[in-house]
Structure formats: structure tokens, C-alpha cells
Amino acid sequence: MDPTPTAPPLPPVSGLSRAVISFLDGELRERGALSLASGLAADLETQCRDLDRSLVQVRSRLEVHLAAYSSFSDRVHGSLSGITAKFAELLSLVAAFDPLSDGGGGKRILGEELPALAKEVARVETVRAYAETALKLDSLIGDVEEAVSSTLKRKHSFAQSSEEVRMHAIRTLNEIEDVITQVSKLRPRWTHLVCAVDHRIDRALAILRPQAIADHRAFLSSLGWPPPLSTSTSANPDAGRLPAVPNPLLTMQGDLKRQYCENFLSLCHLQELQRRRRSRQLEGSNREIALHQPLWAIEELVNPVSLASERHFSKWIDKPEFVFALVYKITRDYVDSMDDLLQPLVDKAMLAGYSCREEWIASMVSALSTYLAKEIFPLYASQLEEESVNGVRSKARTSWLHLIDLMISFDKQIRSLIANSGISFSLMDESNVQKLSSLSVFCDRPDWVELWAEIELSDTLDKLKADVDNERNWTKKVQGAVLMSGPEDYKSPLVSDFFLRRLSSVVDRSRSLPDVPLRSKFLKLVGAPIIQKFLDCLLVRCQEAEGLTALTDDSALVKVANSVNAARYVESVLREWCEDVFFIEMGLGEGDEPGKSQAEEADFDGTVYGPGSGVFDKEIRKLKEFGVEWVEKISVVVLRGFDVSSRDYIRNRKQWQEKSEEGSTVSRTLVDALDHLQGKMSVIEDSLNGMDFVTVWRKVAEGVDQSISNGLLLSNMKFYNGGVERLSSDMEVLFGVFRTWCLRPEGFFPRVCEGLKLLRMGEKQLKDILAGGLERFREEGISHLRVFEAEKIAKNRVFTS
């Protein structure tokens, strides 16, 4: 019997890899897991057999792919061999035709001749494209020139009208423009071709546009345009309402209306073509002027109306109100036909950004402005010059202001016509606003603005003279002088309201100017001198009061207080105005002087005057400075009176040397001084505005604090127990006077309060504080007195048993 087979010996641990050891440790962690070793071995054998089968399959697939790659490589090698043979054949052929060729001929072909050949082919292609484009453009321009010549000579068949030929020419011109635009974008180097085409087109348009306009004028004339104006131009206001003149644009019917529409359309198409050309020619620069010109067809409606109107205008040189009335009537009577009949035609012509209503109104306003600039204003200016030379006052100034009033009123009527169409006037840019304002005449004549400002200022100051001379206007208060910025009652005299009303009128007139720099200039020439005149009047009154009584009299104080109130009120109103967008726009251009820092533009109260602060910033600063100066003087006058009346109280040394409680009574001399102080403050409180009165009583409190601390506490007077009690009682009475205006007046007398605090301390405490120095003083709340001052007060304290 064979012996039982023994298990194969295990391999040494050193012969096992780390992965195997890690695997066995994971699977056979415990002794009991050894019974599962046979199952684990079976699983491993199964996994090995599966891996062997996968490896066989991968090998078979790899052999298939290698065979396919070998076949593909053979084919590529064969192709490359064929290319090499062909290339060698090409080299031999080139060498046969090139006697200078050698072994490097192929390289020369690849490196030099082939790129040159490619460039030549590209050049030939460019020449071909250039020739084709030039031939096409020449053909199209030839058609245009033939059409223009045909239109000019009027040699057409009955089936082909002049308008049809013109429209054909315009369509051809648009086609040419399309080609030129494409060339400009894709072939920017073909500038000579573009210039040559533009030159020929300009010559064609130089004939086509005048001819089209002439035909349009002739057609309008055949329609009866302009309508008769005689029935609308009666200068007699009692003539009654005359029958309305029929509008030829609305009475057209049938073929006549169709022909007018075609004629109008051709003119619009021609203008759109011109706009496209100018837009292309000005590419990369400011194209606003080119992109939006007045509508030609509307101008042709306005020009004959303007010429017909001027025949009536010449009769009304002395009555310009009739001129404005006639222009407005014509503008209003025909504006609806622009919307109903002509606007659809403009839209059909693809003229973007044009409103016939707006163009009609703008053209009528422009015609009026031109007439005013050529006939009316030069006449008035010459009359004013004669007046200045002769020194004889004439009606020229009155006529000038009356004309301005008419222009402002006319512009308001024009704005209402614009608003009726749904166009927001406030959203228009400055150029459009100028077109719709008769005051645009001043945009080109700043010298007339200066002349107007001089007349306006003189007239305003003349009207204010009577108000300023009336003394009642300086004593009677403005009713309800409360601003939106706060409920403060300024107690301002009525004269300040008169100045503000006149100034507001000037501001309102400046709003009608269509140019922001002109508004700013006008307000600086008129508004600023009015404010300066107001400030001069205030200063004169204050100086008179100061010179007569040195402000010791109550009436003089009231006079100065009223002037301060007026300055404060006007300053507040101007600040409120300057927060409006109208003033901010003008202020944006101010304060841009080179070399001036923002700090230099700052006021003493921290207010910064610079860009955007308002056109009256300098005047506001002057009013502020005036108020501060005279409030300071009022405070000084009150303090001076208190110093005089309290002199005996300050000099009485004996009263502080009382050793008993007998000194607790209030000093009679102080009561008299406080009566004087309270009387003056009562007068000031009744007459001065609240904000400035707060400044006055605080300055007075500060001055009294300084006066008592320096004249009494810091002098060489000795304070006994009774004297300290008397001083405490006196100061309570003083604080009571100021308690009328604040809840805790002690806070406004810091030096007196701290001095009293030292005097009330016991002897030992006082010595400890003095020994502790500055740090101990701060701990005790003594911060307004310096150390040496506190030491001096302490040395004046006399302690008795």
C-alpha cells in the first residue's frame, strides 16, 4: 500500500511579493479562515483560466490588426513610390527645358517658382475681378449718364415718362452704390476705381438732383403751391375770422396725386442715395452731419411759402407780432397733411429717422430765424448803436425785449405742436432742439446774446429800483418763506422776494435758449449781476447801521438781522435751484480751469464748488460769507456790551473773600449784566432767522465763557468758601439765561464749569489732582483748561477751618 501523499512545502515568505502577502493577510486574517483556503484556491484557479482565455483572444485580435496595418502600409509605400517616380519624371522634363538646371532644379521649383506662379495666378485673378468690376460699373454708369442726358433733353417716348427714367437712374445708382460699398469693404486697395466712379457719379448727380428739384418745384407750382396767404395776413385784429384756405396737398385726386407721390418719392430716394454715399465716404469719422440733413422735399414746400411770407413781413417791421402769428398759423394749418400724406411716402423711401411733421416745423422755424437774423435784429442793433452814440433813449431797448418775448412765446407754441405728435421734446438732442427754436439765431451771434443780456439786466435793475427804495419792503416779512429743503422760517424781508422773482424770470427766459453754453453765458451776464446788486444793497444797509450806532442800538441790530435773513434766504433758494437738472447741466462745464485743485474751490464750511455745483456758485459763496461776517459782528456787539456791563462784577475782589454762607446771594452787578445780555438776545431772537440765531447765542456763550474764565478764574483773586458759593450761584443764574435755547447750557461754558469744579474740591483732593499732572486732570474730566491754568485756579483757592 502506497504511503499517503504529503502537501507540497510552502514557499518561503521572502519569495512572496508584497501584493501576495497583502492579499493573504486580507483573506486569511484569522486562524479559522484556514478552513476556507481550499475554496479560495479554487476561485483563484478559475480566475486564472478566465484571464488565459482573455489573453488568447487579445492576441488573435492583435494579429488581425497587424495584418491589416501591414497591408495598408504596403499600399501607402506603393503610392509614395509612384509619386516619387512621377516627381522624378517632372524633374527630368523641367531639366530638358531649362538649360541652366542642375540637380537642385526641383528644390528651386518648390521653393521659388511655385510660390511665384501662385502669386501670378492670384494677380491674374485680381486683374480679372478688377476688369469685370470696372466693366460692370462702367456699364451701369453709362446707363445712368444716358438716363440723365435723356432726362435733361426730354427726348422720351410717350410710354416712358421723365419720372420713370429718373427712377431707373436712381435704381441704377443704388446698384452702383451697392457694388462700390462691397468693393470698399473687400478690396480696400482699389481706391482709384472708387474715386473714379465717385467722380462720374458726382457729375451725374450734379445734373440729376437740380433737375429733380426743378421738376418738383414746377409740379408744386402747377398744384397751386404755395396757397394764397392774403386771406390770413390781415393786420387788423377786428377783421373777424376769414375763411380757411384749401390745402393743395389734400385736394389732389387721381392721376395728379399719383404723379405728385411719384415725384416726391423720387426726391426721397435720391436723398437716401446721397445719404448712403456720404455715409460710406465719411466712414470712420463723425457722420452725424451727413446722416441727417433736412428733408429736401419738405424744404421745397417751405421755400416758396417763406418767399411769399416775406412780402408781408416787410410791411410789419414795426409789428413783429404779426410775423410770428402768420408763421405759426401756416405751420399749424399744414402740419397735419405732413403726417397724413407725406410721412407714408418717406417711410416707403426707407429714409430712416425722419419725421415729416418735425421737418416741416423745423424748416418753418429756420425760415423765420433766417428772416430775423437778416432783417430784424440788424435793424434793432443799429438803433441801439445810434442810441449809445447820441445818448438819446429810444424805443430800441423796448422793441428788443418785446421781440424776445414774442420769440419765447412762439417757441412754446411750436413745442405744443411737437408734443401733439407724441414726440417728447425733453428727449431730443441739442441739435434737434436748435432746429425747433427761433432763438437759435443767437447760436451764431454771441454778440447779440451780450447785447440782449445788457438790455435785460438794465431793465431788471430799473424795475427793482422802486422796490429797493421802499423802506417797507425791508421791514415787512415774506409770507411763507419756507423752502422744500426744510421747515426753517427765514424771516426774510419782502425785498428779497422781489429780487428772487426778477431772477426767476431771467432764469425762465434763459431756459428758452436752445444751447447750454448760451444759457450759462446769459445767466452769468444777467443773473450774477442781479445777485451782486442785491448783495451790495445789503452791505450798504449794514454799513449804515454800523456807522451810525456801532450796532449798539436795537434798531440797528434789527436792520442788520433783516439783511442777514435776506442773504440767508436767497442763498438757500439759489442752492435749491442749483440742484435742478437745468443748472447741473450748466454747472458740468464750470470749474474746469487748469491748475485749480478741488481744495481751492472749497468753501470755509467744507462745501465744494466745482463741476456740477451750479452756475451761481460764486454768488452763493459771497452770500454765505456776508452772512457769516455780520453774524460774527452781531455776536461781538452783544459780547462787548456784556463785557462793559459786567466790568464791576469782574473787578470786585471782595465778594469772593467771604468766609461764611453769607456769600451765597447772587451778585447784583451780574444780574444787571445778564439783564443787558438777555435784552439784546431777545431782540436778536425776534428779528434773526433760527439758524443764524443758534450761531449767535453759541458764539455769545463761548465769549462769555472766555470772559469769565480769563477775567475772574485766572486772575489773582482769592476764593474763600463763601466766594465759591457765591460764584456757583451766579453761574447758575447765567446758565438759566441760556437754558431758554438749550437743555444743558453748562456744556457751552466748559472753562467756567471746570474752574468751578476745581474750586469746589476739598484741599486734599485738589492737591492730589495737582500732583497727578495731566493724566489725573483727564481722569477728573478737566480737558478744556490747560495744566498751568488749573494750577493757577487751585492756588487762588483759600481753605479755612
Side-chain angles (χ1 to χ4, degrees):
M1 192 173 171
D2 295 334
T4 302
T6 60
L10 294 175
V13 177
S14 60
L16 299 177
S17 65
R18 290 184 179 180
V20 172
I21 293 173
S22 177
F23 174 76
L24 292 175
D25 287 341
E27 296 293 335
L28 305 174
R29 185 179 301 275
E30 300 176 356
R31 184 178 295 276
L34 293 176
S35 60
L36 302 175
S38 58
L40 179 60
D43 291 339
L44 291 174
E45 290 177 356
T46 302
Q47 292 179 14
C48 288
R49 285 193 297 271
D50 292 340
L51 291 174
D52 289 337
R53 283 196 298 270
S54 298
L55 183 59
V56 171
Q57 293 174 0
V58 169
R59 286 177 177 174
S60 63
R61 286 198 300 271
L62 181 59
E63 289 175 355
V64 171
H65 287 303
L66 288 174
Y69 176 76
S70 177
S71 175
F72 175 76
S73 179
D74 291 340
R75 290 198 302 273
V76 170
H77 182 71
S79 300
L80 290 175
S81 299
I83 291 173
T84 302
K86 295 291 185 183
F87 188 74
E89 184 178 354
L90 177 61
L91 287 177
S92 63
L93 289 174
V94 171
F97 289 99
D98 186 4
L100 300 176
S101 64
D102 52 17
K107 293 181 181 179
R108 187 172 66 254
I109 291 175
L110 289 175
E112 300 176 6
E113 297 184 8
L114 285 180
L117 182 61
K119 289 181 180 179
E120 184 65 20
V121 170
R123 189 186 68 80
V124 171
E125 178 62 24
T126 302
V127 171
R128 183 189 64 79
Y130 186 93
E132 290 179 353
T133 304
L135 288 173
K136 181 179 181 181
L137 289 172
D138 185 67
S139 175
L140 292 173
I141 295 173
D143 292 344
V144 170
E145 291 173 341
E146 182 180 353
V148 169
S149 178
S150 174
T151 304
L152 191 62
K153 294 178 180 179
R154 306 283 184 172
K155 295 181 179 180
H156 312 299
S157 63
F158 293 105
Q160 190 177 27
S161 68
S162 173
E163 200 60 46
E164 290 175 344
V165 174
R166 185 178 296 115
M167 285 302 299
H168 171 70
I170 294 173
R171 285 192 295 270
T172 306
L173 284 169
N174 275 304
E175 187 177 352
I176 293 171
E177 186 61 27
D178 291 338
V179 175
I180 289 297
T181 301
Q182 193 76 2
V183 167
S184 299
K185 291 180 179 179
L186 301 180
R187 306 283 188 175
R189 299 181 65 182
W190 293 4
T191 54
H192 291 293
L193 175 63
V194 173
C195 290
V197 172
D198 280 341
H199 179 67
R200 292 181 65 180
I201 295 300
D202 287 339
R203 287 191 303 176
L205 288 175
I207 300 172
L208 188 62
R209 179 188 172 186
Q211 186 63 40
I213 291 176
D215 290 348
H216 190 73
R217 289 175 181 172
F219 196 88
L220 285 175
S221 180
S222 67
L223 290 177
W225 187 271
L229 306 178
S230 57
T231 57
S232 304
T233 58
S234 174
N236 185 4
D238 301 324
R241 184 171 180 84
L242 297 172
V245 179
N247 185 351
L249 298 179
L250 298 179
T251 57
M252 294 184 300
Q253 299 294 332
D255 289 342
L256 193 62
K257 183 175 182 179
R258 179 185 58 79
Q259 291 174 11
Y260 174 77
C261 291
E262 290 178 353
N263 195 280
F264 186 92
L265 267 175
S266 68
L267 206 55
C268 289
H269 282 302
L270 194 59
Q271 183 168 2
E272 171 60 14
L273 169 68
Q274 186 72 356
R275 188 198 66 82
R276 288 183 61 199
R277 296 184 70 242
R278 292 298 302 278
S279 177
R280 170 180 56 81
Q281 292 168 352
L282 296 177
E283 184 73 35
S285 59
N286 187 1
R287 298 183 294 172
E288 293 298 323
I289 298 177
L291 296 181
H292 196 95
Q293 293 291 319
L295 204 58
W296 297 347
I298 299 297
E299 281 188 325
E300 294 308 316
L301 288 172
V302 171
N303 288 339
V305 173
S306 176
L307 291 174
S309 300
E310 286 185 6
R311 289 194 289 271
H312 298 282
F313 294 166
S314 60
K315 307 173 187 176
W316 298 334
I317 293 293
D318 296 330
K319 294 185 178 294
E321 58 269 20
F322 293 156
V323 173
F324 288 95
L326 177 60
V327 173
Y328 175 71
K329 184 180 186 306
I330 296 172
T331 306
R332 181 198 61 196
D333 289 348
Y334 299 105
V335 72
D336 291 335
S337 61
M338 304 298 152
D339 283 339
D340 299 337
L341 176 64
L342 302 184
Q343 187 61 47
L345 299 177
V346 171
D347 296 340
K348 185 177 180 180
M350 305 296 288
L351 270 171
Y354 280 96
S355 165
C356 285
R357 184 187 192 92
E358 185 179 330
E359 290 295 321
W360 164 257
I361 295 173
S363 295
M364 288 299 297
V365 172
S366 176
L368 173 63
S369 299
T370 302
Y371 175 76
L372 294 176
K374 289 173 61 178
E375 303 294 337
I376 303 297
F377 275 106
L379 176 63
Y380 287 180
S382 63
Q383 291 175 355
L384 287 170
E385 187 176 355
E386 291 178 4
E387 177 183 309
S388 63
V389 173
N390 301 330
V392 180
R393 198 175 183 98
S394 64
K395 295 182 179 179
R397 292 175 176 266
T398 305
S399 299
W400 186 289
L401 293 177
H402 179 55
L403 179 62
I404 297 296
D405 291 337
L406 292 173
M407 295 171 74
I408 293 173
S409 176
F410 175 79
D411 285 353
K412 290 180 179 178
Q413 292 177 316
I414 291 300
R415 291 187 183 192
S416 66
L417 287 181
I418 294 291
N420 290 339
S421 65
I423 301 174
S424 177
F425 199 85
S426 61
L427 297 179
M428 290 185 177
D429 58 27
E430 194 171 290
S431 60
N432 285 335
V433 172
Q434 288 185 13
K435 292 192 305 181
L436 298 170
S437 173
S438 60
L439 289 166
S440 61
V441 66
F442 291 108
C443 294
D444 297 327
R445 294 299 302 266
D447 56 322
W448 287 352
V449 176
E450 295 173 3
L451 194 56
W452 172 23
E454 179 187 344
I455 298 171
E456 194 78 42
L457 176 61
S458 176
D459 180 70
T460 302
L461 294 180
D462 288 344
K463 292 176 180 177
L464 283 170
K465 189 175 186 306
D467 298 327
V468 172
D469 294 340
N470 188 348
E471 191 62 29
R472 289 183 67 254
N473 293 334
W474 290 97
T475 56
K476 189 176 181 181
K477 306 298 182 183
V478 177
Q479 298 297 321
V482 178
L483 301 181
M484 294 175 62
S485 56
E488 178 66 34
D489 183 5
Y490 290 90
K491 300 180 182 179
S492 180
L494 198 58
V495 69
S496 61
D497 197 47
F498 289 135
F499 270 93
L500 284 175
R501 288 180 185 178
R502 297 298 180 186
L503 185 60
S504 177
S505 175
V506 170
V507 171
D508 288 339
R509 290 167 82 78
S510 73
R511 290 178 187 271
S512 302
L513 286 167
D515 184 55
V516 172
L518 275 184
R519 296 173 198 161
S520 179
K521 180 177 182 179
F522 181 78
L523 285 179
K524 283 185 175 294
L525 291 173
V526 184
I530 292 175
I531 300 172
Q532 185 60 49
K533 176 65 177 178
F534 172 71
L535 192 57
D536 292 341
C537 292
L538 298 182
L539 186 60
V540 167
R541 292 183 64 83
C542 290
Q543 288 175 342
E544 287 177 353
E546 185 183 31
L548 291 174
T549 63
L551 301 183
T552 56
D553 187 39
D554 288 350
S555 61
L557 277 178
V558 171
K559 195 172 186 179
V560 172
N562 283 336
S563 297
V564 171
N565 293 342
R568 168 71 74 171
Y569 177 56
V570 172
E571 176 202 344
S572 301
V573 171
L574 292 179
R575 286 189 186 277
E576 197 166 278
W577 286 1
C578 288
E579 294 174 0
D580 187 80
V581 175
F582 174 76
F583 283 91
I584 291 175
E585 284 181 344
M586 292 184 287
L588 289 176
E590 303 295 328
D592 293 334
E593 300 176 22
K596 180 174 283 190
S597 65
Q598 194 178 45
E600 292 173 322
E601 291 291 321
D603 204 351
F604 46 80
D605 63 348
T607 304
V608 176
Y609 298 90
S613 61
V615 71
F616 294 138
D617 54 350
K618 293 181 180 178
E619 287 68 34
I620 291 174
R621 187 187 301 118
K622 290 179 180 179
L623 289 168
K624 178 81 173 177
E625 292 171 353
F626 171 85
V628 170
E629 178 186 355
W630 286 96
V631 164
E632 180 72 26
K633 288 187 177 184
I634 292 174
S635 305
V636 169
V637 167
V638 176
L639 283 171
R640 190 186 301 128
F642 176 79
D643 289 341
V644 172
S645 58
S646 64
R647 188 174 299 160
D648 293 339
Y649 173 75
I650 297 293
R651 291 178 178 178
N652 187 358
R653 296 172 175 268
K654 186 178 179 180
Q655 62 183 333
W656 313 121
Q657 297 175 6
E658 300 290 340
K659 300 180 181 180
S660 65
E661 297 297 324
E662 297 175 2
S664 61
T665 58
V666 179
S667 301
R668 181 63 188 172
T669 52
L670 176 64
V671 172
D672 294 339
L674 291 179
D675 284 343
H676 173 83
L677 175 66
Q678 197 165 18
K680 290 295 182 182
M681 294 300 293
S682 178
V683 172
I684 296 170
E685 184 178 15
D686 290 340
S687 57
L688 192 62
N689 68 85
M691 289 182 290
D692 286 323
F693 178 72
V694 170
T695 304
V696 169
W697 75 253
R698 287 184 175 181
K699 285 183 176 295
V700 170
E702 180 184 354
V704 171
D705 184 48
Q706 291 284 344
S707 177
I708 293 177
S709 63
N710 293 334
L712 194 61
L713 298 177
L714 295 177
S715 66
N716 294 320
M717 296 184 185
K718 301 300 180 180
F719 288 89
Y720 289 76
N721 293 342
V724 172
E725 293 298 328
R726 177 186 288 273
L727 181 61
S728 298
S729 300
D730 290 348
M731 293 303 101
E732 282 300 323
V733 175
L734 173 64
F735 297 157
V737 172
F738 285 88
R739 193 167 279 115
T740 308
W741 309 302
C742 63
L743 295 176
R744 187 178 172 276
E746 294 86 353
F748 295 95
F749 296 87
R751 292 171 63 83
V752 170
C753 289
E754 290 177 6
L756 273 175
K757 187 174 184 179
L758 289 172
L759 293 175
R760 287 171 180 169
M761 290 180 181
E763 186 175 3
K764 184 176 183 304
Q765 183 184 6
L766 194 56
K767 289 180 179 179
D768 292 342
I769 292 175
L770 293 176
L774 181 62
E775 208 169 303
R776 184 64 187 275
F777 278 105
R778 296 294 178 261
E779 291 176 2
E780 294 294 333
I782 299 174
S783 58
H784 292 83
L785 291 174
R786 287 176 285 185
V787 175
F788 77 90
E789 291 175 335
E791 291 175 348
K792 189 172 185 179
I793 293 174
K795 289 177 181 179
N796 289 333
R797 179 70 167 95
V798 177
F799 293 96
T800 59
S801 56

